[in-house]
């Protein structure tokens, strides 16, 4: 006997799907004969739709179980009540998509763009000739993300109040400003996730792992935190940082004076495990040979900073803006650089004498989802580095030491 969900889903043949996709491309291009892709309640289970442009498409209540949608553009698409169990949505663009009531159990959303999307619970009522209105039901509760993979996904500002996400993987995900009030996140993995300004009021995080998670400004009122691993979490920065009774800004000013005068003025201070976030920006600062191992630069603006030969080993540079920064010869071993912007950065060797140079060392650095497009990384060392999802188009890797 068929379930109610099966009774209401319409089988879509290959020709109908192809024609609908072609008409949608004309619709997006504003050409004659264009028609918005609209297959509500259609059965597209296990369909191959990788890289397809489905912006603004209407797939309300559609059955997309096991569908292959990696790198698909579903921005602003209507997926209200859609069945996306076990779907492959890696790297898909779901920005501002309507996913209310969608079932995403076991779906792979690694590296997906979900900023501003709506993942709250919702239900669809369908009209039946005999029984009047009835609820379209999946085999599992709508609004479910149980066991889903969302590692590295961008969920900034997502509406996820009341979401079921038991044992889901949010490793290194961007959940800044997300609304997760009342969500069930038991045994979820939130290691390295950015929860800045997120609302987790009343959420159940029992048994969750939140190692290295960013909890600045997060609301945890009435949240259940039994057996939660909160080791190395990053909380809000202090208003001001002092080093040997001097403000951090004074110390850095002395360092810059030392660099500008070739050592005639100023002084170099070793700054280990210092939180630089109160300064907010180090844009274009002269910080050559800065020694700051284990320090925090999370989300900071370091565009164009001169950091030649700097010791930044073990530093937290997640989400930092390092565009055009000069990191020649820098030591970045074990650095956390998830989602860092390194476009156009200089990561090549630093000449220290005729025929002698120091290579930039990124051994064991975590560069997941970082952007190295157009960077120069000649002879750089990437041994054991995590480069999953790293964008490297146009990056000069001549002579770079990488594991095959």
């Amino acid at each position: 006997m068929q379930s109610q969900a099966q009774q209401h889903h319409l089988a879509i043949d290959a020709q109908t799907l192809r024609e609908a996709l072609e008409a949608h491309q004309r619709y997006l291009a504003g050409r004659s004969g264009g028609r918005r892709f609209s297959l509500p309640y259609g059965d597209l289970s296990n369909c191959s739709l990788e890289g397809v442009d489905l912006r603004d498409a209407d797939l309300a209540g559609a059955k997309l179980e096991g569908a292959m949608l990696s790198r698909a553009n579903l921005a602003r698409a209507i997926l209200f009540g859609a069945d996306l169990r076990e779907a492959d949505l890696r790297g898909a663009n779901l920005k501002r998509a309507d996913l209310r009531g969608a079932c995403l159990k076991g779906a792979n959303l690694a590296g997906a763009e979900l900023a501003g999307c709506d993942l709250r619970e919702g239900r669809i009522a369908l009209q039946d000739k005999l029984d009047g209105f009835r609820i379209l039901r999946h085999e599992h509760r709508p609004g479910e993300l149980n066991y889903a993979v969302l590692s590295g996904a961008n969920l900034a500002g997502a509406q996820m109040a009341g979401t079921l996400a038991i044992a889901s993987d949010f490793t290194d995900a961007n959940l800044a400003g997300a609304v997760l009030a009342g969500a069930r996140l038991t045994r979820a993995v939130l290691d390295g996730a950015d929860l800045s300004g997120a609302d987790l009021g009343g959420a159940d995080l029992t048994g969750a792992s939140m190692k290295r998670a960013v909890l600045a400004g997060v609301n945890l009122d009435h949240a259940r935190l039994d057996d939660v691993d909160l080791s190395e979490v990053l909380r809000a920065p202090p208003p001001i940082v002092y080093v040997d009774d001097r403000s951090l800004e004074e110390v850095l000013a002395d360092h810059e004076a030392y660099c500008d005068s070739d050592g005639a003025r100023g002084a170099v201070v070793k700054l280990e495990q210092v939180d630089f976030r109160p300064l907010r920006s180090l844009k274009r600062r002269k910080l050559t040979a800065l020694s700051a191992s284990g320090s925090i630069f999370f989300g900071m603006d370091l565009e164009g900073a001169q950091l030649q030969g700097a010791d930044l080993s073990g530093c937290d540079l997640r989400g930092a803006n390092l565009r055009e920064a000069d990191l020649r010869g820098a030591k970045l071993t074990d650095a956390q650089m998830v989602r860092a912007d390194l476009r156009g950065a200089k990561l090549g060797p630093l000449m220290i004498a005729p025929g002698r140079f120091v290579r930039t060392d990124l051994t064991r650095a975590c560069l997941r989802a970082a952007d190295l497009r157009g960077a120069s990384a000649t002879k750089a060392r990437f041994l054991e580095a995590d480069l999953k999802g790293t964008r490297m188009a146009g990056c000069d890797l001549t002579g770079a030491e990488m594991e095959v």
Side-chain angles (χ1 to χ4, degrees):
M1 184 175 178
Q2 288 185 316
S3 69
Q4 289 178 350
Q6 289 172 322
Q7 290 171 356
H8 287 293
H9 284 114
L10 308 172
I12 306 298
D13 59 63
Q15 183 177 343
T16 300
L17 178 58
R18 184 173 60 254
E19 291 174 353
L21 288 171
E22 290 172 355
H24 189 66
Q25 300 315 303
R26 291 194 293 272
Y27 166 80
L28 292 173
R31 300 201 308 267
S32 62
R35 186 176 65 257
R36 181 188 182 196
F37 189 95
S38 181
L39 292 174
Y41 321 117
D43 188 348
L44 295 165
S45 302
N46 303 303
C47 276
S48 180
L49 295 163
E50 295 103 326
V52 172
D53 191 345
L54 286 169
R55 284 172 291 162
D56 303 303
D58 183 359
L59 286 159
K63 189 171 185 180
L64 289 152
E65 183 180 1
M68 289 166 278
L69 289 152
S70 58
R71 303 181 311 283
N73 190 348
L74 290 151
R76 301 180 304 278
I78 299 172
L79 289 156
F80 189 106
D83 185 353
L84 287 153
R85 283 173 293 155
E86 308 293 338
D88 182 358
L89 287 152
R90 289 173 298 167
N93 181 7
L94 288 149
K95 193 172 183 179
R96 302 192 68 80
D98 186 351
L99 283 156
R100 286 174 297 163
C103 185
L104 287 150
K105 182 174 183 179
N108 190 343
L109 291 131
E113 172 65 64
L114 293 127
C117 73
D118 197 336
L119 283 152
R120 291 173 294 177
E121 183 178 354
R123 296 179 184 272
I124 291 179
L126 296 177
Q127 191 169 15
D128 187 279
K129 290 181 180 178
L130 298 176
D131 301 326
F133 285 94
R134 65 174 67 180
I135 300 297
L136 173 65
R137 301 185 187 278
H138 302 308
E139 293 178 22
H140 298 273
R141 173 179 164 177
E144 185 176 309
L145 277 163
N146 293 343
Y147 309 104
V149 178
L150 295 117
S151 55
N154 183 9
L155 289 146
Q159 297 294 319
M160 301 171 70
T163 295
L164 274 175
I166 296 170
S168 292
D169 184 359
F170 291 93
T171 302
D172 293 322
N174 182 5
L175 287 153
V179 179
L180 288 149
R184 287 192 63 188
L185 293 155
T186 54
R187 303 192 311 281
V189 180
L190 291 145
D191 294 344
D194 183 2
L195 289 153
S196 304
D199 183 2
L200 284 159
D204 187 352
L205 289 149
T206 303
S209 179
M210 300 179 76
K211 292 181 288 187
R212 302 183 310 280
V214 183
L215 300 180
V218 67
N219 175 25
L220 287 165
D221 291 347
H222 309 297
R224 290 194 60 179
L225 298 168
D226 303 333
D227 300 317
V228 174
D229 188 344
L230 291 165
S231 55
E232 299 179 66
V233 296
L234 191 59
R235 301 188 185 276
I240 189 168
V241 172
Y242 289 95
V243 179
D244 296 331
D245 297 323
R246 290 197 303 155
S247 71
L248 180 57
E249 181 55 55
E250 288 179 280
V251 172
L252 288 183
D254 265 4
H255 185 97
E256 283 188 297
Y258 186 88
C259 294
D260 284 336
S261 65
D262 291 326
R265 293 181 292 106
V268 174
V269 178
K270 197 169 185 178
L271 301 169
E272 289 186 350
Q273 299 181 346
V274 170
D275 193 340
F276 283 79
R277 289 179 295 165
L279 300 181
R280 300 197 178 184
S281 175
L282 293 170
K283 187 174 182 177
R284 308 197 189 287
R285 298 286 293 267
K286 295 179 181 179
L287 302 170
T288 303
L290 178 71
S291 182
S293 61
S295 294
I296 300 169
F297 297 90
F298 178 88
M300 289 187 65
D301 186 359
L302 292 129
E303 183 175 346
Q306 293 185 27
L307 291 157
Q308 307 95 316
D311 182 358
L312 299 171
S313 54
C315 284
D316 188 343
L317 287 151
R318 289 176 291 171
N321 176 13
L322 287 155
R323 291 184 67 175
E324 308 291 340
D326 192 342
L327 290 155
R328 289 175 296 160
K331 187 177 182 182
L332 288 155
T333 53
D334 299 298
Q336 293 293 317
M337 303 177 77
V338 176
R339 294 189 302 277
D341 188 350
L342 288 146
R343 284 177 287 174
K346 297 176 183 177
L347 296 159
L350 177 66
M351 302 302 295
I352 55 174
R356 298 181 63 198
F357 61 85
V358 177
R359 289 187 292 179
T360 303
D361 193 351
L362 289 142
T363 299
R364 296 183 303 278
C366 184
L367 288 149
R368 285 198 294 270
D371 195 343
L372 275 81
R373 289 177 293 175
S376 174
T378 56
K379 295 185 171 62
R381 179 172 285 167
F382 289 94
L383 296 179
E384 298 181 62
D386 188 342
L387 298 168
K388 186 177 181 181
T390 304
R391 287 178 282 184
M392 304 186 81
C395 179
D396 188 351
L397 294 165
T398 305
E401 199 174 349
M402 306 179 79
E403 294 177 326
V404 179

